[in-house]
Amino acid sequence: MKQKLNKENGITLVALVVTIVVLLILAGITIMYTMGENSIFKKAQEAKDKTENAVKNEQEYMNSIDNMVNEYINGTGNGGGSTSTEPIDEPIENIKSDWATIEKIVQEIAKDDTITSETEEVKVVVDGKRYTIKPGDTFEVEYEGETKRVRVLGFKYDDLVDQTVYGGTHEKASISFEFLDFMTGETYKSMNAENDNTGGWANTQMRKDLNGYTTNAAAQSGAIGGLGANLSNKSYIKQVKKKYIATYNSASSVTTCNDYLWLLAASEVVSSGYQSGAYVYAITSEGSQYPYYQKNATEAWNSPSANRAKKTSASGSAGSWWLRSPHYNDSSVFCNVHGDGNIIYIWNAASNFSVAPGFSI
């Protein structure tokens, strides 16, 4: 009996040891497959990482395709597969008579609230090209088959009549220009057929001729007419409000009219006149001095100034040109800039002189 019990205990102990060994082997195998170099967890992590990288690469690829499509839509694609959107500096000489591009530029200026009447230089990106423009820069316009230079006077100076012309609500015209070459060349015109400045600029035959107005009343609705209808950029010119002295000897008579083309006032060219508060021989101001003249024509109003002088053409001769300001002490006279830029000259309204109007885009 004792011998039998010893035998059974021995078998039980061996079975226990074998069981433990088997369990240890199974545990080792389990640990190896779950925690080892080729474990299930590591394989799962690698699969997860590969999936995330694939998604990231696909997103980057789709973004590059999207950027490329946008570049071509905006006219900035280079066809070489590059997605860079860095604008290219473009000289304004390349768009001197491209008023469609200039119109895009003025729309960007209108939207930029950091640009004001005091701004001396603007940088605008259009169609992937960056243009730098400042007062004094010249562009070109065609008038009756002849090329005329026009000069930038300043930014956001003149008040718009239609404040929605740039696709939003804007009070100021983006850029104001003046003719550097006389618009009508060697064809001279009078302010009025009679020697009369009654009613000021708004009542002149010159104003009606330039804009196509048929009456002396406020500007009529519709596109620019008269002499202005012969300008190659007429469809881009914006109608603005211009101040004028209605009664030559009354400083309190200043009012406004609406024009596409207008002659500059003495106060828009110089900052002083024959007495305190006067501008040249005008009794008061009809608008502030444009930035171009503030910076460049610093000579006294009654002294010659090359920056106030204008010509019949780029290679033509200098001549006298009309201002819209009436003489403070004579009901038949308007102010006039001499060929050398001196503004001491004043002439009867019926006299014939050159026409160098301003306009806004």
PDB file of all heavy atoms in Angstrom, residues 65-79 81-86:
ATOM      1  N   ILE A  65      -2.057  69.864 -56.587  1.00  0.00           N
ATOM      2  CA  ILE A  65      -2.897  69.913 -57.780  1.00  0.00           C
ATOM      3  C   ILE A  65      -3.859  71.088 -57.693  1.00  0.00           C
ATOM      4  O   ILE A  65      -4.060  71.837 -58.662  1.00  0.00           O
ATOM      5  CB  ILE A  65      -3.685  68.593 -57.946  1.00  0.00           C
ATOM      6  CG1 ILE A  65      -2.716  67.439 -58.234  1.00  0.00           C
ATOM      7  CG2 ILE A  65      -4.707  68.722 -59.067  1.00  0.00           C
ATOM      8  CD1 ILE A  65      -1.943  67.573 -59.511  1.00  0.00           C
ATOM      9  N   ASP A  66      -4.431  71.292 -56.497  1.00  0.00           N
ATOM     10  CA  ASP A  66      -5.364  72.400 -56.295  1.00  0.00           C
ATOM     11  C   ASP A  66      -4.676  73.742 -56.507  1.00  0.00           C
ATOM     12  O   ASP A  66      -5.217  74.647 -57.144  1.00  0.00           O
ATOM     13  CB  ASP A  66      -5.949  72.319 -54.884  1.00  0.00           C
ATOM     14  CG  ASP A  66      -7.057  73.337 -54.669  1.00  0.00           C
ATOM     15  OD1 ASP A  66      -7.989  73.376 -55.480  1.00  0.00           O
ATOM     16  OD2 ASP A  66      -6.970  74.094 -53.690  1.00  0.00           O
ATOM     17  N   ASN A  67      -3.446  73.894 -55.965  1.00  0.00           N
ATOM     18  CA  ASN A  67      -2.690  75.138 -56.145  1.00  0.00           C
ATOM     19  C   ASN A  67      -2.373  75.386 -57.610  1.00  0.00           C
ATOM     20  O   ASN A  67      -2.442  76.516 -58.096  1.00  0.00           O
ATOM     21  CB  ASN A  67      -1.396  75.087 -55.331  1.00  0.00           C
ATOM     22  CG  ASN A  67      -1.637  75.194 -53.841  1.00  0.00           C
ATOM     23  OD1 ASN A  67      -2.670  75.708 -53.420  1.00  0.00           O
ATOM     24  ND2 ASN A  67      -0.699  74.713 -53.041  1.00  0.00           N
ATOM     25  N   MET A  68      -2.008  74.334 -58.312  1.00  0.00           N
ATOM     26  CA  MET A  68      -1.662  74.471 -59.725  1.00  0.00           C
ATOM     27  C   MET A  68      -2.882  74.924 -60.535  1.00  0.00           C
ATOM     28  O   MET A  68      -2.787  75.808 -61.393  1.00  0.00           O
ATOM     29  CB  MET A  68      -1.125  73.143 -60.267  1.00  0.00           C
ATOM     30  CG  MET A  68      -0.593  73.232 -61.689  1.00  0.00           C
ATOM     31  SD  MET A  68       0.060  71.652 -62.258  1.00  0.00           S
ATOM     32  CE  MET A  68       1.403  71.428 -61.092  1.00  0.00           C
ATOM     33  N   VAL A  69      -4.041  74.322 -60.224  1.00  0.00           N
ATOM     34  CA  VAL A  69      -5.269  74.708 -60.922  1.00  0.00           C
ATOM     35  C   VAL A  69      -5.595  76.166 -60.647  1.00  0.00           C
ATOM     36  O   VAL A  69      -5.929  76.932 -61.556  1.00  0.00           O
ATOM     37  CB  VAL A  69      -6.438  73.804 -60.485  1.00  0.00           C
ATOM     38  CG1 VAL A  69      -7.763  74.351 -61.031  1.00  0.00           C
ATOM     39  CG2 VAL A  69      -6.220  72.378 -60.983  1.00  0.00           C
ATOM     40  N   ASN A  70      -5.460  76.590 -59.384  1.00  0.00           N
ATOM     41  CA  ASN A  70      -5.744  77.982 -59.024  1.00  0.00           C
ATOM     42  C   ASN A  70      -4.800  78.945 -59.727  1.00  0.00           C
ATOM     43  O   ASN A  70      -5.198  80.042 -60.153  1.00  0.00           O
ATOM     44  CB  ASN A  70      -5.643  78.180 -57.506  1.00  0.00           C
ATOM     45  CG  ASN A  70      -6.810  77.568 -56.768  1.00  0.00           C
ATOM     46  OD1 ASN A  70      -7.892  77.421 -57.335  1.00  0.00           O
ATOM     47  ND2 ASN A  70      -6.595  77.195 -55.513  1.00  0.00           N
ATOM     48  N   GLU A  71      -3.517  78.557 -59.863  1.00  0.00           N
ATOM     49  CA  GLU A  71      -2.545  79.418 -60.534  1.00  0.00           C
ATOM     50  C   GLU A  71      -2.931  79.629 -61.990  1.00  0.00           C
ATOM     51  O   GLU A  71      -2.860  80.750 -62.512  1.00  0.00           O
ATOM     52  CB  GLU A  71      -1.149  78.815 -60.439  1.00  0.00           C
ATOM     53  CG  GLU A  71      -0.520  78.948 -59.060  1.00  0.00           C
ATOM     54  CD  GLU A  71       0.864  78.353 -59.001  1.00  0.00           C
ATOM     55  OE1 GLU A  71       1.331  77.852 -60.044  1.00  0.00           O
ATOM     56  OE2 GLU A  71       1.478  78.392 -57.923  1.00  0.00           O
ATOM     57  N   TYR A  72      -3.346  78.559 -62.638  1.00  0.00           N
ATOM     58  CA  TYR A  72      -3.720  78.706 -64.041  1.00  0.00           C
ATOM     59  C   TYR A  72      -5.007  79.490 -64.203  1.00  0.00           C
ATOM     60  O   TYR A  72      -5.167  80.261 -65.148  1.00  0.00           O
ATOM     61  CB  TYR A  72      -3.837  77.329 -64.698  1.00  0.00           C
ATOM     62  CG  TYR A  72      -2.503  76.789 -65.146  1.00  0.00           C
ATOM     63  CD1 TYR A  72      -1.819  75.845 -64.390  1.00  0.00           C
ATOM     64  CD2 TYR A  72      -1.899  77.266 -66.319  1.00  0.00           C
ATOM     65  CE1 TYR A  72      -0.585  75.367 -64.785  1.00  0.00           C
ATOM     66  CE2 TYR A  72      -0.664  76.796 -66.723  1.00  0.00           C
ATOM     67  CZ  TYR A  72      -0.010  75.844 -65.955  1.00  0.00           C
ATOM     68  OH  TYR A  72       1.213  75.385 -66.344  1.00  0.00           O
ATOM     69  N   ILE A  73      -5.931  79.315 -63.255  1.00  0.00           N
ATOM     70  CA  ILE A  73      -7.170  80.087 -63.301  1.00  0.00           C
ATOM     71  C   ILE A  73      -6.869  81.571 -63.141  1.00  0.00           C
ATOM     72  O   ILE A  73      -7.445  82.423 -63.809  1.00  0.00           O
ATOM     73  CB  ILE A  73      -8.149  79.611 -62.208  1.00  0.00           C
ATOM     74  CG1 ILE A  73      -8.666  78.212 -62.540  1.00  0.00           C
ATOM     75  CG2 ILE A  73      -9.311  80.587 -62.053  1.00  0.00           C
ATOM     76  CD1 ILE A  73      -9.535  77.607 -61.467  1.00  0.00           C
ATOM     77  N   ASN A  74      -5.916  81.889 -62.250  1.00  0.00           N
ATOM     78  CA  ASN A  74      -5.555  83.284 -61.968  1.00  0.00           C
ATOM     79  C   ASN A  74      -4.521  83.840 -62.935  1.00  0.00           C
ATOM     80  O   ASN A  74      -4.087  84.983 -62.804  1.00  0.00           O
ATOM     81  CB  ASN A  74      -5.022  83.422 -60.541  1.00  0.00           C
ATOM     82  CG  ASN A  74      -6.088  83.119 -59.497  1.00  0.00           C
ATOM     83  OD1 ASN A  74      -7.248  83.419 -59.710  1.00  0.00           O
ATOM     84  ND2 ASN A  74      -5.686  82.526 -58.387  1.00  0.00           N
ATOM     85  N   GLY A  75      -4.092  83.006 -63.874  1.00  0.00           N
ATOM     86  CA  GLY A  75      -3.127  83.486 -64.865  1.00  0.00           C
ATOM     87  C   GLY A  75      -1.696  83.521 -64.379  1.00  0.00           C
ATOM     88  O   GLY A  75      -0.855  84.187 -64.971  1.00  0.00           O
ATOM     89  N   THR A  76      -1.378  82.777 -63.278  1.00  0.00           N
ATOM     90  CA  THR A  76      -0.018  82.819 -62.747  1.00  0.00           C
ATOM     91  C   THR A  76       0.707  81.498 -62.916  1.00  0.00           C
ATOM     92  O   THR A  76       1.819  81.340 -62.427  1.00  0.00           O
ATOM     93  CB  THR A  76      -0.030  83.187 -61.257  1.00  0.00           C
ATOM     94  OG1 THR A  76      -0.799  82.220 -60.531  1.00  0.00           O
ATOM     95  CG2 THR A  76      -0.647  84.559 -61.057  1.00  0.00           C
ATOM     96  N   GLY A  77       0.090  80.513 -63.562  1.00  0.00           N
ATOM     97  CA  GLY A  77       0.762  79.228 -63.753  1.00  0.00           C
ATOM     98  C   GLY A  77       1.967  79.365 -64.649  1.00  0.00           C
ATOM     99  O   GLY A  77       1.954  80.096 -65.631  1.00  0.00           O
ATOM    100  N   ASN A  78       3.051  78.609 -64.333  1.00  0.00           N
ATOM    101  CA  ASN A  78       4.266  78.729 -65.130  1.00  0.00           C
ATOM    102  C   ASN A  78       4.526  77.509 -65.985  1.00  0.00           C
ATOM    103  O   ASN A  78       5.530  77.445 -66.678  1.00  0.00           O
ATOM    104  CB  ASN A  78       5.483  78.996 -64.227  1.00  0.00           C
ATOM    105  CG  ASN A  78       5.655  77.917 -63.160  1.00  0.00           C
ATOM    106  OD1 ASN A  78       5.146  76.804 -63.298  1.00  0.00           O
ATOM    107  ND2 ASN A  78       6.365  78.266 -62.100  1.00  0.00           N
ATOM    108  N   GLY A  79       3.598  76.519 -65.909  1.00  0.00           N
ATOM    109  CA  GLY A  79       3.742  75.360 -66.785  1.00  0.00           C
ATOM    110  C   GLY A  79       4.859  74.435 -66.395  1.00  0.00           C
ATOM    111  O   GLY A  79       5.060  73.399 -67.000  1.00  0.00           O
ATOM    112  N   GLY A  81       5.296  73.048 -63.305  1.00  0.00           N
ATOM    113  CA  GLY A  81       4.953  72.227 -62.169  1.00  0.00           C
ATOM    114  C   GLY A  81       5.198  72.897 -60.842  1.00  0.00           C
ATOM    115  O   GLY A  81       4.858  72.359 -59.803  1.00  0.00           O
ATOM    116  N   SER A  82       5.798  74.081 -60.822  1.00  0.00           N
ATOM    117  CA  SER A  82       6.050  74.784 -59.575  1.00  0.00           C
ATOM    118  C   SER A  82       4.763  75.394 -59.058  1.00  0.00           C
ATOM    119  O   SER A  82       3.945  75.885 -59.815  1.00  0.00           O
ATOM    120  CB  SER A  82       7.088  75.901 -59.785  1.00  0.00           C
ATOM    121  OG  SER A  82       7.176  76.706 -58.636  1.00  0.00           O
ATOM    122  N   THR A  83       4.558  75.331 -57.741  1.00  0.00           N
ATOM    123  CA  THR A  83       3.357  75.895 -57.149  1.00  0.00           C
ATOM    124  C   THR A  83       3.645  77.208 -56.454  1.00  0.00           C
ATOM    125  O   THR A  83       2.838  77.688 -55.675  1.00  0.00           O
ATOM    126  CB  THR A  83       2.749  74.891 -56.156  1.00  0.00           C
ATOM    127  OG1 THR A  83       3.702  74.610 -55.126  1.00  0.00           O
ATOM    128  CG2 THR A  83       2.377  73.588 -56.850  1.00  0.00           C
ATOM    129  N   SER A  84       4.786  77.835 -56.701  1.00  0.00           N
ATOM    130  CA  SER A  84       5.133  79.094 -56.057  1.00  0.00           C
ATOM    131  C   SER A  84       4.199  80.197 -56.528  1.00  0.00           C
ATOM    132  O   SER A  84       3.893  80.305 -57.713  1.00  0.00           O
ATOM    133  CB  SER A  84       6.579  79.469 -56.386  1.00  0.00           C
ATOM    134  OG  SER A  84       6.869  80.761 -55.896  1.00  0.00           O
ATOM    135  N   THR A  85       3.702  81.005 -55.589  1.00  0.00           N
ATOM    136  CA  THR A  85       2.810  82.114 -55.923  1.00  0.00           C
ATOM    137  C   THR A  85       3.490  83.456 -55.686  1.00  0.00           C
ATOM    138  O   THR A  85       2.821  84.471 -55.605  1.00  0.00           O
ATOM    139  CB  THR A  85       1.524  82.027 -55.088  1.00  0.00           C
ATOM    140  OG1 THR A  85       1.867  82.022 -53.691  1.00  0.00           O
ATOM    141  CG2 THR A  85       0.744  80.771 -55.429  1.00  0.00           C
ATOM    142  N   GLU A  86       4.799  83.480 -55.524  1.00  0.00           N
ATOM    143  CA  GLU A  86       5.523  84.730 -55.314  1.00  0.00           C
ATOM    144  C   GLU A  86       5.378  85.608 -56.552  1.00  0.00           C
ATOM    145  O   GLU A  86       5.695  85.201 -57.671  1.00  0.00           O
ATOM    146  CB  GLU A  86       7.006  84.438 -55.057  1.00  0.00           C
ATOM    147  CG  GLU A  86       7.857  85.674 -54.853  1.00  0.00           C
ATOM    148  CD  GLU A  86       7.494  86.439 -53.587  1.00  0.00           C
ATOM    149  OE1 GLU A  86       6.936  85.820 -52.678  1.00  0.00           O
ATOM    150  OE2 GLU A  86       7.783  87.646 -53.530  1.00  0.00           O
TER     151      GLU A  86
END
